Amino acid sequence: MEIGLNHYLVLSTILFAIGLVGVMRRKNLLLLFFATEILLNAVNVAFAAISHYYGDLTGQMFAFFVIAIAASEVAVGLGLLIVWYKRHSSIDLDALTTMKG
Amino acid sequence: MFEAVAFYLFAFLTITMFFITVTTSQALYALSALAAGMIFISAFFFILGADFLGAVQIIVYTGAVMALYAFGMMFFDTTREVKEKQGNKYIIVGLSTLAAVLVVVIFAAPMVSENIVALYPAIEGVGNTQEVGLVLFTKYLVPFEVAAIMLLVAMVAGIVLAGKKMDLSITLMNDAEIEEQKNKKVLS
């Protein structure tokens, strides 16, 4: 039983689907951030697998940049979330609709 | 054989952990499950021979990101339930699966049309870390520096956003001072 590229792509699809379900279902903003991390990690797995099976290092490089982006997203997002929580003492997503769109 | 066993074991563990993350109502369980899932993801990188990426995954995600979330959670009242309004489950699952398949199609399209050329092929006789260093500091030097500036900006933004009024502590103030602070907040 040989593990090929398709196995990794299927795994990446499953993880990405789980992350998307999390993004659409959750109303807790903190858990929304967690779901975003899952999405980024799912794509990272696909990048690393393609990099391995094609003998090319570009995939790994992009995985590094994705990790850097994820780290900075967390820093800024969590800062904004703390400011929001201090103002409204709630991290409910539905409470964010202040513009009455 | 060994590779297959490792792949299926870690695939099962990762999917279980991430499933717990998106379904549990406790933020603390979600955080722990996410941290475990990140470690298991790094196992795939080790299986795929991307040793440096695996080490970075462990250090950045479980070391930095999870610690940041854990500290951030101290500001929130995570024991309080956030009301989860249930939408149509089938629409959500269907849309998610559709989008995920779309992502794989995006990845797979160049492979099917055989358009992929190895731009920076792996070098024989050196370890993964050395290869990564060679490519990162020659071809990807400018994106690397831009990423460094982006991280600096994110750090400054995090400090400025979260550090506002950190010197005030409600537990150390008496009632009059708290009232005064409240009035100030309303006015500002």
Side-chain angles (χ1 to χ4, degrees):
Chain A
M1 207 165 31
E2 195 64 32
I3 298 294
L5 181 52
N6 290 341
H7 288 76
Y8 282 100
L9 287 184
V10 167
L11 175 74
S12 170
T13 323
I14 294 169
L15 294 181
F16 200 85
I18 290 174
L20 274 176
V21 168
V23 168
M24 292 191 208
R25 251 191 94 237
R26 305 316 298 250
K27 293 282 183 274
N28 189 335
L29 270 173
L30 196 62
L31 292 172
L32 220 66
F33 274 112
F34 290 176
T36 321
E37 301 291 325
I38 296 175
L39 292 181
L40 291 169
N41 265 286
V43 176
N44 268 357
V45 170
F47 273 138
I50 291 170
S51 160
H52 175 70
Y53 284 100
Y54 279 87
D56 188 346
L57 281 174
T58 316
Q60 284 183 36
M61 293 301 124
F62 272 87
F64 283 123
F65 293 129
V66 167
I67 287 179
I69 287 170
S72 45
E73 169 241 318
V74 167
V76 177
L78 213 59
L80 286 171
L81 206 55
I82 287 169
V83 171
W84 180 263
Y85 188 75
K86 275 181 186 164
R87 288 255 168 88
H88 301 267
S89 63
S90 145
I91 44 173
D92 195 335
L93 187 59
D94 288 337
L96 272 172
T97 54
T98 51
M99 287 180 78
K100 319 276 184 216
Chain B
M1 181 60 205
F2 179 71
E3 194 195 349
V5 170
F7 175 80
Y8 284 115
L9 175 69
F10 283 114
F12 172 73
L13 283 172
T14 315
I15 290 168
T16 316
M17 285 305 154
F18 284 166
F19 190 74
I20 291 171
T21 307
V22 299
T23 49
T24 182
S25 58
Q26 302 279 338
L28 199 60
Y29 292 169
L31 182 78
S32 319
L34 189 63
M38 296 301 177
I39 298 257
F40 294 141
I41 285 273
S42 77
F44 291 116
F45 296 151
F46 288 125
I47 294 172
L48 288 166
D51 303 344
F52 192 67
L53 190 56
V56 166
Q57 168 90 5
I58 292 179
I59 293 169
V60 170
Y61 273 108
T62 24
V65 171
M66 285 303 131
L68 200 59
Y69 275 132
F71 280 117
M73 270 169 70
M74 291 176 193
F75 289 95
F76 309 126
D77 185 7
T78 45
T79 50
R80 197 174 54 192
E81 283 283 306
V82 174
K83 222 190 297 162
E84 305 271 354
K85 202 168 56 192
Q86 292 299 334
N88 192 336
K89 234 180 231 167
Y90 299 106
I91 289 180
I92 288 171
V93 172
L95 275 178
S96 307
T97 314
L98 192 74
V101 168
L102 210 65
V103 168
V104 171
V105 168
I106 289 168
F107 271 121
M111 283 176 235
V112 173
S113 63
E114 292 176 350
N115 254 339
I116 280 193
V117 195
L119 283 174
Y120 306 114
I123 307 144
E124 293 297 320
V126 290
N128 175 257
T129 312
Q130 221 170 335
E131 280 178 352
V132 165
L134 279 174
V135 177
L136 194 61
F137 288 110
T138 53
K139 314 283 183 193
Y140 287 97
L141 185 60
V142 174
F144 180 73
E145 298 293 344
V146 171
I149 293 171
M150 184 184 68
L151 282 169
L152 180 69
V153 169
M155 187 185 80
V156 172
I159 293 169
V160 168
L161 285 172
K164 243 184 246 167
K165 291 182 190 165
M166 276 293 192
D167 51 333
L168 295 178
S169 170
I170 292 175
T171 49
L172 294 177
M173 288 190 275
N174 57 35
D175 288 347
E177 280 173 331
I178 290 174
E179 278 303 312
E180 193 188 338
Q181 285 296 330
K182 263 188 192 163
N183 291 337
K184 229 191 256 174
K185 203 173 175 185
V186 168
L187 289 174
S188 64

